[in-house]
Amino acid sequence: MSQTRRAMTPARRLTAPALAMALAACSYNSDLGRQQVLLVDPAALSQQGAQAWSQMKQTERVSTDAAANARVRRVGGQIVQAAGLGGQAWEYAVFQDDAVNAFVLPGGKVGVTTGMMKFVANDDELAAVLGHEVAHVIANHAAERYSQTALAQVGAGLVGAATQNAESGLAQALGRYAGPALQVAVLMPYSRQHELEADRLGLDLMVRAGFSARRGVDLWRRMAARASGSSGPAILSTHPSDAARVQQLDAYIAARGYS
């Protein structure tokens, strides 16, 4: 979950050409129930994602724990099937990294750290993690964030800062291998809206896949509790899991009637 949040520059601060470009690239996402501005072709990000993924697997330590890797593939496969994306090629890997973290690259590349595998208490919590990541793909959040960043005219210096400030060694590795577009789309912070959308969509996916939403939210609750200490999970550097977030998840579960 090496991804975070930053708001788009208000429209009144954009130039007229930028506004025209945004309007021309506006599309409706039925999963989100809202319009999105997508200035980048998701296929372009997918190509960069595949390249970064290949380099990471060659240079970073991939766990040899066959059971852990099989578990991620099994639970991830259930989530992907529930999302209706089973016809696409997805890849999963467990990386040797003590940070409690996970991430998804454009093109369906999902990485989970050994720290996260130790942290999750059951398959429902792992499904919450993977559901959240797959939800980012369904929501086109990476392409939307890249587009927002382009419209806001964020410079390369900010991209570099995002890479340098990444707490997870895995996130730093991605920064080394990813192209500029992928760094913006994956390392730059998501907005609070993006995170809450991924939370809700992720819950929907895990329930469709047969997992318990309430048990899944226990993961975020324990993360929030751990974050109150001196050293919380690295995932919280990019995915704030505070009490307000858990409350919103609980409210969503109640509204949907999930167990």
Side-chain angles (χ1 to χ4, degrees):
M1 298 183 173
S2 298
Q3 313 187 19
T4 349
R5 40 233 121 237
R6 198 170 301 270
M8 178 179 173
T9 301
R12 64 179 179 274
R13 295 175 59 186
L14 298 176
T15 63
L19 282 172
M21 182 169 55
L23 290 173
C26 196
S27 62
Y28 182 76
N29 187 315
S30 59
D31 291 297
L32 300 179
R34 67 174 176 84
Q35 297 284 342
Q36 289 184 297
V37 174
L38 302 178
L39 303 179
V40 61
D41 183 356
L45 292 181
S46 295
Q47 183 178 14
Q48 286 198 22
Q51 293 173 350
W53 178 257
S54 178
Q55 289 181 294
M56 288 180 69
K57 289 198 301 180
Q58 291 176 17
T59 58
E60 300 302 308
R61 291 189 302 162
V62 177
S63 172
T64 57
D65 186 334
N69 279 280
R71 184 184 179 196
V72 170
R73 287 195 300 270
R74 173 176 55 81
V75 175
Q78 290 175 260
I79 295 294
V80 166
Q81 288 293 332
L85 300 175
Q88 301 179 19
W90 287 75
E91 292 187 53
Y92 308 87
V94 177
F95 290 88
Q96 289 283 356
D97 191 328
D98 291 334
V100 180
N101 217 339
F103 67 92
V104 63
L105 296 181
K109 316 299 182 184
V110 181
V112 182
T113 64
T114 50
M116 175 63 81
M117 296 302 292
K118 293 177 182 177
F119 190 79
V120 295
N122 48 57
D123 281 356
D124 296 291
E125 292 190 359
L126 180 57
V129 172
L130 298 178
H132 182 98
E133 299 302 336
V134 173
H136 278 308
V137 175
I138 294 174
N140 287 323
H141 281 159
E144 185 174 34
R145 177 170 46 180
Y146 177 87
S147 302
Q148 291 173 341
T149 303
L151 288 172
Q153 299 179 342
V154 176
L158 189 53
V159 176
T163 305
Q164 294 169 7
N165 292 336
E167 294 183 19
S168 168
L170 204 57
Q172 292 176 345
L174 175 58
R176 292 196 300 271
Y177 307 135
L182 197 62
Q183 288 189 30
V184 170
V186 177
L187 292 182
M188 290 298 296
Y190 277 136
S191 68
R192 173 69 64 166
Q193 178 187 20
H194 283 170
E195 283 306 313
L196 293 177
E197 286 175 341
D199 284 346
R200 292 190 293 266
L201 283 176
L203 284 178
D204 291 339
L205 293 177
M206 65 181 293
V207 169
R208 286 183 218 160
F211 297 98
S212 167
R214 292 194 181 279
R215 292 180 68 184
V217 173
D218 286 342
L219 170 79
W220 305 110
R221 189 171 285 108
R222 289 192 296 110
M223 282 186 172
R226 185 173 171 181
S228 62
S230 57
S231 59
I235 188 176
L236 299 186
S237 67
T238 56
H239 288 62
S241 182
D242 51 22
R245 183 181 195 179
V246 173
Q247 288 175 359
Q248 292 196 48
L249 287 171
D250 285 338
Y252 187 72
I253 288 173
R256 300 283 286 184
Y258 290 154
S259 60

